[in-house]
Amino acid sequence: MYSEKHFWFVLLLSLFAINQICCLVEFTNFKCTSFDKDVVDFEYCILKSINRTSKYVSAKIKVFKFPVKSIKVNIGLHQLANGYRPFLYNITFDGCKFIKNQKSNPVAKYFYEFIKDISNANHSCPYNHDFILEKLSSDMINSRLPKILPFPAGNYMFEAHWTANELYRALTKLYIYVS
């Protein structure tokens, strides 16, 4: 039979192995689409390489019809498996209500905290400015995401549908590789 020492050794070894599970995120592509260019359009939407392992994305969304009284965002994570299939997350939140009460949705709260330092997301509705996302780096994601939830290796797509004034206005897709 196994002794108590053997049990504790196996338990500690298992905990060490679990603690070492880690994943690294690398951006592979970034696509932005405007559905109504008279209302909103992308001035730029770029994926830029800093070096071989580090990249960042930047986007500037020009809004032509003000004010934007309601904003809804549908965020989904898709995994590549014979085409991109839904994986783990698919949430929709009201951006105006969320900006007023950031504790309303825990996942949305995490998303908001994640981008507020690199964008001008500190506004309330009605929204009357352009939206700028500057230099969201893969290093920034690697410092947060793998510590919260290690993902299986593979290709993923982070997709966001942007609705303003009750109509779909834009779609952003960030393609990533998790190793």
Side-chain angles (χ1 to χ4, degrees):
M1 296 288 354
Y2 296 107
S3 67
E4 185 176 334
K5 287 180 184 178
H6 184 262
F7 170 77
W8 287 110
F9 175 74
V10 171
L11 180 65
L12 286 173
L13 186 62
S14 300
L15 289 175
F16 177 76
I18 290 171
N19 191 27
Q20 296 302 312
I21 293 174
C22 184
C23 57
L24 294 176
V25 173
E26 179 183 340
F27 297 153
T28 57
N29 201 357
F30 185 47
K31 295 181 180 179
C32 304
T33 306
S34 173
F35 296 131
D36 190 353
K37 294 187 185 268
D38 293 334
V39 177
V40 65
D41 198 9
F42 290 90
E43 187 173 312
Y44 56 86
C45 175
I46 57 171
L47 170 67
K48 180 127 179 159
S49 180
I50 299 168
N51 56 36
R52 293 185 113 196
T53 59
S54 184
K55 299 176 184 175
Y56 69 83
V57 296
S58 293
K60 182 174 183 182
I61 302 170
K62 299 284 290 177
V63 180
F64 300 115
K65 291 194 179 176
F66 295 112
V68 178
K69 295 180 181 176
S70 69
I71 300 170
K72 290 187 181 174
V73 183
N74 174 266
I75 299 170
L77 183 66
H78 303 266
Q79 184 178 29
L80 182 62
N82 195 18
Y84 281 97
R85 306 284 185 216
F87 178 79
L88 201 58
Y89 293 114
N90 188 0
I91 62 165
T92 300
F93 62 93
D94 184 331
C96 293
K97 187 185 292 184
F98 175 72
I99 289 171
K100 288 178 187 173
N101 181 12
Q102 297 174 13
K103 295 179 183 177
S104 61
N105 185 329
V107 177
K109 179 182 178 196
Y110 179 77
F111 177 72
Y112 182 80
E113 288 175 358
F114 188 70
I115 67 164
K116 74 179 180 182
D117 295 333
I118 55 172
S119 69
N120 60 351
N122 294 322
H123 295 285
S124 61
C125 291
Y127 196 83
N128 57 5
H129 301 281
D130 295 336
F131 183 81
I132 302 169
L133 175 69
E134 284 298 330
K135 297 184 178 180
L136 172 62
S137 70
S138 54
D139 295 334
M140 188 177 294
I141 292 181
N142 284 327
S143 69
R144 294 180 183 211
L145 182 69
K147 293 177 182 175
I148 294 172
L149 182 64
F151 282 88
N155 291 306
Y156 294 88
M157 175 183 62
F158 179 76
E159 183 177 59
H161 292 266
W162 301 85
T163 305
N165 297 335
E166 305 303 324
L167 294 171
Y168 281 106
R169 301 297 184 181
L171 171 67
T172 56
K173 296 180 179 181
L174 177 62
Y175 295 87
I176 59 176
Y177 175 72
V178 177
S179 59

